[in-house]
Amino acid sequence: MDDQLDRLGVQLFEARRLAHAGGVPRARLALLLVDNAAETLLRMSAQSYLAQADLYGDVVRTLQITPVVSDEGQALLQEYSHLVVSKTRRRKIDRDFGALTDYVFEQEDWPLGSEWATCIKVLHRYRNDAYHNDKVKTDVLDSAVAIYFYLVAHLLKHRKAVVWLIAAPSPGVLELLGVSELDRGPDPIQSGSSSHYGRLMADRLLRDFVPDHAGIAAALARHMQGRLGGIERDLKEIADFHDFPLRHPEFAIRLTQCTDDEWHSAGPPSDFWTREQDVTPSVFEEWRAAAADLAKIADALEALRTFAMQEEALASFEERAAALSLKVDHQIQQDIDFARGK
């Protein structure tokens, strides 16, 4: 039996239990488990595509060392060359979650659209924020887990594999499915394959572990609203530290979009209040309205697509606001240490 499928069953069942139990520590752990499942599934599909790339590479190398190549051979060489994956890119796929996700989603026969990749990378970043960077965003954890379950179910349903194993279902698969055994059905080979078990697991996730279409749209709306709330807190901290509360939030919004050199300068730039800005208070209000509108979308895929279209601009500003807020925190600590004579 596919050991990876067995571990996935255990991880996802435990993630659901933790998510239902509630509380920030459990939600953080649930997010970690679902993120690990997403990475495992992406790697399983990537291994299949890389195996195909190796075959293309063999053809290309053979043609390259052939003294005389026919017109048909030249056409194959041109067709297959762009399908070969270099060692440099393989290393990046192996080490970087974003590169892994991009590689799987760029394949011509991969059925899920780019909006899925955007959302997967967003939630992976929040998993990192909750653990590696010690940024626990309680506003978004619960909704992030719900959305991630939905995404993982489809990664599982559409995963690629070089071979499908024929064996009895493992304990982890049975645990996730909530049964003690499975019927083999009229076709013992097909019904006993890891492909079949994966589809059954995906169907169980979609049926019992994640919200319906309206629930996914609502979870995306809560996620975006929670992130906007986090940005607002960062902006308030920035404005208060600079003793400019009366011009909050525009002062902090403008300060967030200054360059690093301008952050550290003795005074504000001369065009601070007049320069064109990508993000203004009205843009922030548009984000807030868009977050509320997400909850009204009836189709989960359309909600994912809408969220993905808004995510890039929001994430860029969110990252800069968080970075400046962190600088403020460090400066406050330095001021406290100085006052104490440290």
Side-chain angles (χ1 to χ4, degrees), residues 163-241:
V163 295
W164 299 110
L165 301 179
I166 308 299
S170 65
V173 171
L174 294 174
E175 183 175 34
L176 180 70
L177 295 177
V179 298
S180 57
E181 60 181 22
L182 288 175
D183 294 332
R184 279 304 182 101
D187 185 347
I189 294 179
Q190 175 59 31
S191 62
S193 71
S194 57
S195 172
H196 179 62
Y197 299 146
R199 287 194 297 271
L200 289 178
M201 293 167 69
D203 290 341
R204 173 82 201 281
L205 289 174
L206 292 170
R207 184 180 68 248
D208 300 329
F209 281 35
V210 301
D212 58 14
H213 283 257
I216 289 297
L220 283 164
R222 291 195 305 274
H223 178 83
M224 191 169 177
Q225 287 164 343
R227 290 171 62 183
L228 289 170
I231 295 174
E232 282 186 320
R233 289 191 292 273
D234 286 340
L235 292 176
K236 185 177 187 309
E237 183 175 17
I238 293 165
D240 289 348
F241 175 76

Side-chain angles (χ1 to χ4, degrees), residues 88-100:
T88 299
R89 190 175 187 196
R90 283 175 181 268
R91 285 194 295 269
K92 192 169 183 180
I93 291 170
D94 186 55
R95 297 172 184 174
D96 182 76
F97 184 91
L100 168 65

Side-chain angles (χ1 to χ4, degrees), residues 73 109 111-112 125 132 197 207 214 301:
D109 65 339
L112 303 177
R125 187 175 73 243
H132 300 314
Y197 299 146
R207 184 180 68 248
L301 180 57

Side-chain angles (χ1 to χ4, degrees), residues 25-196:
R26 294 184 182 89
R28 288 175 62 193
L29 186 52
L31 184 61
L32 173 65
L33 291 173
V34 182
D35 180 72
N36 286 347
E39 183 167 0
T40 298
L41 288 164
L42 287 167
R43 292 203 180 281
M44 292 167 72
S45 292
Q47 287 167 2
S48 176
Y49 286 124
L50 288 170
Q52 293 176 359
D54 288 339
L55 296 177
Y56 296 133
D58 291 341
V59 173
V60 168
R61 283 187 290 273
T62 300
L63 291 172
Q64 287 175 334
I65 63 175
T66 301
V68 179
V69 180
S70 64
D71 291 343
E72 291 82 0
Q74 291 288 355
L76 283 177
L77 183 61
Q78 184 174 1
E79 178 184 356
Y80 288 168
S81 291
H82 79 280
L83 299 174
V84 178
V85 180
S86 68
K87 291 182 179 179
T88 299
R89 190 175 187 196
R90 283 175 181 268
R91 285 194 295 269
K92 192 169 183 180
I93 291 170
D94 186 55
R95 297 172 184 174
D96 182 76
F97 184 91
L100 168 65
T101 305
D102 290 340
Y103 176 69
V104 172
F105 276 81
E106 74 183 25
Q107 304 305 312
E108 290 185 1
D109 65 339
W110 182 248
L112 303 177
S114 60
E115 62 271 14
W116 296 79
T118 298
C119 293
I120 288 167
K121 288 188 285 189
V122 167
L123 295 176
H124 179 73
R125 187 175 73 243
Y126 271 85
R127 177 264 193 192
N128 287 343
D129 283 345
Y131 280 82
H132 300 314
N133 301 327
D134 195 27
K135 299 176 184 175
V136 181
K137 295 178 170 61
T138 57
D139 316 68
V140 299
L141 277 175
D142 290 339
S143 57
V145 172
I147 299 163
Y148 223 164
F149 261 122
Y150 179 76
L151 300 174
V152 163
H154 285 276
L155 290 177
L156 180 57
K157 197 174 188 70
H158 299 291
R159 70 187 175 114
K160 301 293 181 179
V162 177
V163 295
W164 299 110
L165 301 179
I166 308 299
S170 65
V173 171
L174 294 174
E175 183 175 34
L176 180 70
L177 295 177
V179 298
S180 57
E181 60 181 22
L182 288 175
D183 294 332
R184 279 304 182 101
D187 185 347
I189 294 179
Q190 175 59 31
S191 62
S193 71
S194 57
S195 172
H196 179 62

